[in-house]
């Protein structure tokens, strides 16, 4: 479990990063927190010849509330996502998700940008940004663009990032006061990747659900938006009946793989249980 | 006079470890040392057609690449059988696979390079061409005649079988009011020590001496193994086990890699280091358990247990482990069944089968958790069948505390145990009546809690009839050299070893009390065959009982020497003197007569001033082997309280109780932590730990990302109480305690889970009890209830 030899370089600007990246076409990897890249190199699952450390690029840092959205820089560590007061206020779903991500030592190094760029389907944050209807800010040689979270996660470890592009920030729309959030997962041990997890937000008006956004993780190759479940909730009060309808409709949303250690029907069963719990948490939140 | 025995002294070496001053084999760097990496078979079974090392040999930093033809001739193959296991077979094992590969992970080539990283780079370049064969990975059918063999060098897949029975067992079943039965499956798990296996072999051709720095619990055993298998004089072989980061039985077996490191050092004449990385640990450290057990219990109408019948099929590797075999676990499984109970009749059948997986062998609480879980699950069913509650049925059947000596139906001899006292104490601690009230109230709210209990005996302080009788060169005796330094401080070199459990601390406590000094004045050396006398070291819970007694007796001999010398110096009859407070004092009044420092000064620097003929040597050596009973059994009982989330199958471990009797308690702090650690290593495989294989014999979860070890957050509070029944076989009276926690934790937890699931009629008989298995059990019960 020793890393194969590689070159380590630090980029101070996106331009420098692209330059260093393009020099070794297809053989360079960006380094943020390193908590996915480095173990996978130690396991020799990956052997890039060059690691380009992008943690020194100023644009990737900081959490700021802008006009319509909270901009969270890609280099924001998981621990800061957990503790930052602006995140707690404007994107509470991320703050709720963070304690479920691994353990303190990992949260001190892992970054939100690295986590989203990696797009592990068992990871908490991708589902949270999906539920938040966040936008991913990307910068590349062709310029800067915003990609809605719904269009960002394409397949297993595959995102809308083109080779060489850098994920610079996440933009979370500022929520109305009436919005409620809930996040939970079913995991065998605290800090493990979940068997199933869910992130949800809803807007309530006079007890009626006027909008709902729900995303699951650990249910397939990407985080999955539960469209049918959302539809089952919108326009009804949050009640035993509407929750049951949403749970029933999950079969339309989720198509978990049938892995021999964990059959698909069980994962769907757990997803239903979890949806009930997550919606229940919303109801009981002050 | 006892001063320090019985005190909760902190582990003396813990401070050193906390300060980062541990000295582990993994830390050792010797001049000219090479790093070894093994190329392993990716397949569970097959024939090696070709190994191409050319590209690898050109990699930077690579010094040599060895294959079987280079290494195997240097080492006599090892055979994992014991003579007293009649009819046992196991093909010989060599360092590297010669033509057949026997498990996924079997080493086929060894790379020696200037760094581990370079050796790994080269390992990627070795091309091994293996003709794939169908591996043996399944269950019972592997024993049918004509079944494909796991190891072509064996006659069949049957490594060993044995039958144990009392004459009247069939009659007991025929006459029973109830017969309860169940089939159990116990998954494989492994040790996961913090420090992996580590060895630095250092052969010096100039002196012909081999020094092996080896993270093992049994240095003398390895001194003997290395001498015999490499044809070296025993006196030229030194094994040093410095700090060892956990062992749990896993580090006393002979492994291909350690033997390879020694062979390579002999060939190259320079130090060779091999430290397993975590991925290698999973495919080369021994695994534990892997049993299918069918059990029945015959019960009278009043709940009296009449007999048990069990059939244990245990699947090991493609060869039996050396030198203790892979059959000892199964042998203990069938002998420990029903051991806490008066039960008169018994039949136990054991079949040990080869298969193409990592070897299994002794790991903490060898056989105990299996025997305990089967027995206690059947006791639970017997209670249900006869309308008894769990405490009542045990009170009725546990051996009475005044009925000793007692011989179990399986032939174990018990000197004196305290099952009934432990049961009564557990009842006080758990308050089962209150738990039942709470359980009923919570059930109405859809919360399913359950509790379960499990009685156990534990084998400790084994004598020579354990392994020695079977021809194994495994010592049952231990030795200590105790000496007084010129300052009056004491030094003890002893053959029992330290892996973090506190051996050195308790030895210091025992010696201190014999010599009337504070333990801080006693330094203890362990783990080096050149500087400590030879002995069995640490396995089967013998460190405190046998090592402690050895230290006690050696200490008393030194005490007598000191008193004789003091008598001559102060002109008193030694019988009127004793040692206390670092001095020789008048036995009756306690008045100081002469300080140890003064005796040390005179004996060392001015022996000329002593009266003629007075012996001034203040070093004694003593060896002690257990006498009397073949083992000192300990006993106890555990309780577990759980909450099962019936929607997700997750189990919350709310509380765990242990009442334990390990005889004389030398250090209550260390005893309690041994029990806690043991409980966690029992709960781990009950809920989390499992080496999962696919049908091709591939370990599919061989990393700490996928293999779940129990973590602090998931573990319950563990409350511990003691009954103290010292053994009369020794002066010290201590028995072992290291395996007690592991023995019954899983059994108590399984009973607790099944108690929680009782309203659903669901029942678990397989470990680990994963969420999936719990949901499956709930579904199966539902299907049964709703079936037409
Ligand atoms: C023991 C352990 C347990 C863990 N448990 C969990 C868990 O429970 N849940 C969970 O979600 N995660 C878990 N993780 C993963 C952890 O959160 C990772 O660190 C994180 O997912 C990746 O972030 P990073 O900053 O470390 O990225 P890195 O490892 O540095 O990079 C990851 C990938 O993203 C690319 N990348 C990084 N930053 C950018 C960027 N700004 N733009 C474009 N590409 C980029 C890299 O090139 C690389 O391919 C665990 C990790 C460990 C070691």
């Amino acid at each position: 479990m020793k890393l194969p030899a590689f070159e380590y370089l630090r980029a101070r600007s996106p331009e420098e990063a692209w330059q260093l990246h393009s020099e070794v076409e297809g053989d360079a990897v960006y380094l943020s927190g390193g908590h996915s890249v480095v173990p996978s190199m130690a396991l020799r699952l990956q052997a890039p010849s060059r690691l380009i450390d992008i943690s020194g690029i100023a644009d990737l840092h900081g959490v700021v509330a802008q006009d319509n959205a909270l901009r969270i820089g890609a280099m924001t560590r998981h621990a800061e996502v957990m503790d930052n007061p602006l995140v707690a206020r404007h994107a509470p779903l991320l703050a709720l998700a963070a304690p479920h991500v691994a353990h303190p030592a990992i949260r001190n190094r892992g970054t939100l940008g690295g986590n989203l760029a990696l797009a592990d389907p068992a990871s908490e944050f991708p589902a949270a940004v999906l539920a938040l209807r966040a936008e991913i800010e990307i910068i590349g040689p062709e310029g800067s663009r915003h990609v809605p979270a719904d269009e960002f996660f394409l397949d297993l470890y595959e995102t809308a990032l083109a080779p060489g592009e850098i994920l610079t920030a996440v933009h979370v729309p500022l929520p109305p006061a009436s919005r409620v959030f809930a996040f939970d997962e079913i995991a065998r041990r605290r800090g493990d990747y979940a068997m199933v997890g869910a992130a949800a937000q809803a807007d309530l008006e006079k007890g009626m659900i006027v909008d709902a956004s729900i995303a699951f993780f650990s249910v397939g190759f990407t985080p999955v938006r539960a469209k049918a479940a959302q539809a089952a909730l919108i326009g009804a009060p949050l009640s035993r009946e509407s929750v049951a309808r949403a749970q029933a409709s999950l079969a339309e949303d989720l198509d978990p793989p049938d892995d021999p250690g964990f059959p698909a029907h069980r994962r769907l069963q757990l997803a239903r249980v979890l949806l009930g719990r997550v919606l229940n948490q919303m109801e009981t939140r002050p | 006079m006892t001063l320090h025995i019985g005190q909760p002294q902190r582990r003396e070496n813990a401070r050193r470890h906390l300060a980062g001053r541990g000295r582990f084999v993994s830390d050792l760097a010797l001049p000219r040392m090479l790093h070894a990496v093994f190329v392993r078979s990716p397949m569970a079974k097959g024939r090696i057609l070709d190994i191409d090392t050319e590209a690898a040999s050109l990699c930077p930093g690579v010094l040599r690449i060895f294959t079987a033809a280079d290494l195997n001739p240097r080492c006599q193959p090892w055979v994992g059988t014991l003579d007293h296991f009649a009819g046992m077979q196991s093909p010989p094992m060599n360092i590297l696979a010669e033509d057949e590969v026997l498990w996924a992970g079997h080493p086929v080539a060894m790379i020696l390079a200037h760094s581990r990283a370079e050796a790994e780079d080269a390992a990627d370049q070795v091309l091994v061409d293996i003709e794939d064969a169908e591996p043996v990975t399944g269950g019972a059918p592997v024993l049918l005649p004509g079944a494909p063999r796991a190891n072509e060098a064996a006659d069949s897949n049957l490594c060993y079988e044995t039958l144990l029975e009392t004459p009247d067992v069939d009659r007991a079943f025929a006459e029973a009011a109830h017969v309860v039965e169940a089939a159990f499956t116990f998954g494989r798990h492994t040790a996961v020590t913090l420090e992996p296996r580590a060895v630095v072999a250092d052969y010096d051709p100039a002196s012909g001496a081999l020094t092996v720095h080896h993270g093992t619990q049994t240095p003398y055993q390895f001194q003997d193994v290395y001498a015999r298998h490499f044809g070296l004089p025993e006196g030229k072989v030194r094994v040093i086990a410095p700090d060892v980061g956990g062992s749990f039985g896993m580090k006393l077996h002979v492994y291909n890699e350690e033997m390879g490191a020694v062979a390579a050092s002999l060939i190259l004449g320079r130090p060779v280091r091999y430290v397993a990385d975590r991925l290698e640990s999973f495919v080369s450290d021994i695994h534990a358990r892997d049993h299918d057990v069918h059990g029945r219990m015959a019960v009278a109408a009043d709940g009296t247990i009449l007999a048990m019948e069990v059939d244990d099929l245990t699947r090991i590797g493609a060869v039996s482990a050396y030198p203790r075999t892979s059959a000892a676990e199964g042998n203990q499984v069938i002998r420990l069944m029903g051991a806490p109970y008066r039960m008169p009749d018994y039949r136990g059948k054991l079949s040990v089968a080869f298969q193409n997986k990592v070897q299994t062998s002794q790991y903490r609480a060898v056989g105990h958790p299996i025997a305990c879980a089967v027995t206690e699950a059947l006791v639970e069913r017997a209670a249900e069948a006869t309308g008894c509650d769990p405490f009542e049925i045990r009170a009725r059947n546990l051996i009475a505390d005044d009925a000793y000596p007692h011989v179990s139906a399986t032939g174990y001899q018990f000197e004196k145990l305290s099952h009934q006292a432990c049961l009564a104490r557990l009842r006080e601690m758990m308050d089962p009546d209150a738990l039942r009230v709470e359980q009923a109230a919570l059930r109405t709210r859809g919360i399913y809690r359950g509790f379960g209990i499990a009685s156990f005996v534990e084998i400790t302080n084994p004598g020579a009839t354990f392994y020695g009788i079977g021809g194994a060169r495994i010592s049952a005796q231990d030795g200590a050299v105790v000496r007084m330094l010129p300052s009056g401080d004491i030094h003890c070199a002893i053959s029992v070893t330290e892996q973090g459990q506190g051996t050195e601390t308790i030895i210091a406590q025992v010696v201190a009390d014999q010599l009337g000094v504070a333990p801080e004045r006693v330094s203890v050396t362990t783990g080096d065959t050149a500087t400590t006398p030879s002995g069995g070291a640490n396995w089967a819970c013998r460190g405190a009982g046998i090592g402690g007694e050895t230290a006690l007796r050696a200490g008393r001999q030194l005490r007598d020497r000191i008193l004789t010398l003091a008598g001559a110096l102060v002109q008193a009859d030694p019988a009127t003197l004793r040692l206390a407070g670092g001095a020789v004092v008048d036995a009756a009044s306690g008045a100081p007569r002469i300080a140890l420092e003064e005796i040390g000064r005179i004996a060392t620097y001015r022996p000329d001033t002593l009266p003629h003929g007075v012996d001034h040597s203040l070093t004694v050596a003593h060896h002690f082997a257990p006498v009397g009973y073949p083992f000192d059994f300990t006993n106890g009982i555990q309780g577990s309280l759980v909450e099962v989330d019936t929607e997700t199958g997750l189990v919350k471990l709310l509380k765990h109780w242990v009442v334990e009797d390990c005889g004389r308690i030398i250090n209550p702090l260390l005893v309690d932590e041994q029990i806690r650690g043991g409980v966690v290593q029992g709960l781990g495989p009950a809920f989390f730990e499992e080496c999962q294989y696919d049908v091709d014999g591939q370990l599919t979860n061989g990393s700490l990302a996928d293999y779940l070890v129990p973590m602090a957050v998931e573990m319950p509070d563990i409350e511990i109480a003691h009954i103290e029944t010292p053994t009369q076989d020794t002066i010290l009276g201590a028995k072992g305690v290291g395996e007690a926690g592991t023995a019954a934790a899983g059994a108590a937890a399984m009973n607790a889970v099944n108690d929680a699931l009782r309203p659903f009629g669901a029942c678990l008989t397989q470990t680990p009890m994963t969420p999936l298995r719990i949901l499956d059990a709930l579904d199966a019960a539902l299907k049964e209830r709703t079936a037409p």
Side-chain angles (χ1 to χ4, degrees), chain A residues 28-39 46 51-52 54 60 74-75 77-78 100-103 106-107 109-120 122-126 161 164-168 185 191-194, chain B residues 705:
Chain A
V29 162
Y30 290 139
L31 180 73
S32 284
H35 268 46
S36 292
V37 172
V38 176
Q46 199 178 357
L51 285 185
I52 304 163
I54 55 174
L60 308 191
M75 276 308 298
R77 312 272 177 192
H78 303 343
H100 294 277
V101 180
H103 302 278
I106 293 146
R107 293 199 290 264
R109 295 296 304 169
T111 67
L112 184 61
N115 186 292
L116 298 176
L118 182 70
D120 186 323
S123 177
E124 286 79 1
F125 290 133
L161 284 165
E165 282 189 321
I166 295 172
L167 191 161
T168 38
E185 66 179 41
D192 278 352
Y193 287 106

Side-chain angles (χ1 to χ4, degrees), chain B residues 12 74 134 225 257 376 440 454 464 491 507 513 650 664 719 746:
Chain B
E12 176 267 331
R74 305 299 294 241
E134 180 99 6
V225 163
E257 294 84 357
E376 295 298 308
H491 178 261
I507 294 300
D513 278 0
L650 288 172
R664 171 83 62 240
E719 206 175 291

Side-chain angles (χ1 to χ4, degrees), chain A residues 1-5 42-44 103 186-190 192 195 260-263 265-266 269-270 273 277, chain B residues 116-117 120-121 124 277-279 645 647-648 650 687-688 708-709 711 713-714 770-772 775-776 779:
Chain A
M1 274 211 264
K2 299 286 180 212
L3 284 73
L43 293 166
R44 292 183 181 250
H103 302 278
I186 299 173
R188 289 184 62 188
R189 299 177 309 180
R190 181 80 198 182
D192 278 352
M195 297 187 280
F262 213 85
H265 77 275
R266 286 286 179 222
Q269 175 185 354
L270 292 186
V273 170
R277 292 183 183 182
Chain B
R116 167 95 196 187
E120 282 189 25
D121 287 344
D124 280 350
D277 71 22
R278 193 58 71 185
L279 299 182
D645 181 338
E647 288 186 323
T648 63
L650 288 172
F687 292 100
F688 300 103
L708 307 184
V709 292
M711 310 265 257
V713 175
E714 282 70 37
T770 60
L772 197 57
L775 292 176
D776 286 347
D779 280 1

Side-chain angles (χ1 to χ4, degrees), chain A:
Chain A
M1 274 211 264
K2 299 286 180 212
L3 284 73
F6 61 90
E7 194 182 13
Y8 170 86
L9 298 168
R10 277 180 80 92
R12 261 155 221 90
S13 67
E15 294 72 19
E16 195 181 349
W18 304 321
Q19 175 60 31
L20 295 172
H21 198 274
S22 62
E23 282 170 10
V24 286
E25 190 71 42
D27 203 19
V29 162
Y30 290 139
L31 180 73
S32 284
H35 268 46
S36 292
V37 172
V38 176
S40 94
M41 288 172 72
L43 293 166
R44 292 183 181 250
L45 298 172
Q46 199 178 357
S49 67
R50 176 177 285 185
L51 285 185
I52 304 163
D53 187 340
I54 55 174
S55 64
I57 302 177
D59 212 25
L60 308 191
H61 289 264
V63 179
V64 258
Q66 298 171 335
D67 291 347
N68 303 317
L70 182 73
R71 182 186 189 273
I72 308 173
M75 276 308 298
T76 307
R77 312 272 177 192
H78 303 343
E80 198 189 338
V81 172
M82 200 160 127
D83 295 339
N84 184 294
L86 288 174
V87 174
R89 192 152 134 229
H90 301 301
L93 209 38
L94 287 174
L96 291 173
H100 294 277
V101 180
H103 302 278
I106 293 146
R107 293 199 290 264
N108 287 340
R109 295 296 304 169
T111 67
L112 184 61
N115 186 292
L116 298 176
L118 182 70
D120 186 323
S123 177
E124 286 79 1
F125 290 133
V129 299
L130 210 56
L132 285 166
R133 297 203 182 96
E135 288 191 346
I136 313 291
E137 180 191 307
I138 296 171
I139 191 165
E142 258 84 272
S144 164
R145 62 197 172 108
H146 284 218
V147 177
D150 274 309
E151 292 159 29
F152 183 75
F153 302 102
L154 302 179
D155 205 339
L156 188 64
Y157 302 116
E158 219 183 291
T159 67
L161 284 165
E165 282 189 321
I166 295 172
L167 191 161
T168 38
V170 179
H171 293 256
V172 180
L174 300 183
S178 63
R179 190 163 290 172
V180 287
F181 304 90
F183 185 97
D184 207 354
E185 66 179 41
I186 299 173
R188 289 184 62 188
R189 299 177 309 180
R190 181 80 198 182
D192 278 352
Y193 287 106
M195 297 187 280
V196 176
Q201 64 176 31
D203 291 341
L204 295 168
E205 263 173 35
K206 300 196 187 91
M208 296 292 274
I209 302 172
V210 294
D211 187 23
S213 174
I214 304 170
F216 279 84
F217 57 101
S218 274
V219 289
F221 292 148
T222 61
V224 179
R225 173 175 295 287
K227 288 191 188 126
Q230 289 171 186
L233 291 165
I234 294 171
L238 197 52
S239 66
R240 192 186 290 258
E241 291 71 32
S242 64
V243 169
R245 267 203 315 279
Q247 286 173 311
S249 61
L250 268 187
E252 295 166 45
D253 293 322
L254 308 181
D255 184 16
D258 216 3
D259 111 43
F262 213 85
H265 77 275
R266 286 286 179 222
R267 224 180 270 276
L268 186 58
Q269 175 185 354
L270 292 186
R272 289 203 171 108
V273 170
L274 185 64
L275 180 62
R277 292 183 183 182
V278 160
L279 293 175
N280 189 44
Q281 284 174 25
M282 281 183 167
E283 198 177 25
T284 54
R285 188 146 295 156

Side-chain angles (χ1 to χ4, degrees), chain B residues 56-283:
Chain B
S57 65
L58 299 174
C59 287
V62 173
L63 202 92
R64 283 292 283 275
I65 301 180
F66 291 128
T67 57
D70 307 305
L71 293 188
N72 292 2
R74 305 299 294 241
C75 176
Q76 191 197 321
W78 56 96
V79 177
T81 58
L82 283 170
D83 298 344
H84 64 307
F85 292 154
M88 181 175 187
Q89 66 159 338
S90 181
M93 175 53 82
N94 284 293
I95 296 173
L96 296 175
E98 289 187 351
D99 44 22
E100 242 195 307
V101 294
L102 297 171
W103 77 93
H106 193 165
V108 298
M110 180 187 199
I111 298 182
L112 293 148
H114 292 294
S115 71
R116 167 95 196 187
E118 287 168 320
E120 282 189 25
D121 287 344
D124 280 350
Q125 304 297 318
V126 175
L127 303 172
V128 187
D129 189 7
I130 296 177
E131 183 185 32
D132 212 349
E134 180 99 6
V136 174
T137 58
V142 303
L143 293 178
L144 294 179
R149 273 172 296 164
N151 190 330
E152 302 301 330
D155 298 340
S156 70
N157 289 324
L158 184 66
C159 168
Y160 176 62
E161 67 180 340
T162 190
L163 180 72
L164 205 64
E165 61 185 344
T166 58
D168 292 333
V169 61
D170 288 323
R171 203 177 67 205
F173 273 94
E175 292 174 358
H178 306 274
V179 174
V180 291
E181 65 185 301
F184 302 84
T185 298
F186 300 94
R188 277 186 165 229
H189 53 90
T190 187
V192 199
T193 51
L194 273 182
E195 184 198 25
R197 279 168 34 230
V199 67
V200 176
D202 183 11
Y203 179 66
D204 170 10
S207 62
L210 172 73
T211 303
V212 186
H213 306 267
H214 186 166
T216 176
Q217 52 198 104
T218 51
Y220 315 93
Q221 174 199 302
F222 279 103
Q223 179 185 31
D224 170 74
V225 163
Y226 293 141
R228 283 188 297 113
H229 287 269
F230 292 100
L232 299 167
E234 189 174 21
K236 290 284 189 190
V237 179
R238 177 179 183 184
V239 176
I240 303 173
D243 288 329
V244 179
S247 53
F248 312 113
M250 185 275 283
K251 291 180 182 169
L252 49 65
H253 308 288
V254 168
Y255 292 95
N256 304 64
E257 294 84 357
E258 282 84 331
M259 298 300 256
V262 171
S265 182
L266 286 169
I267 293 170
L268 299 171
R270 54 197 290 182
V272 172
R273 172 189 198 260
Y274 172 74
V275 178
D277 71 22
R278 193 58 71 185
L279 299 182
E280 291 181 289
S281 294
F282 275 105
V283 296

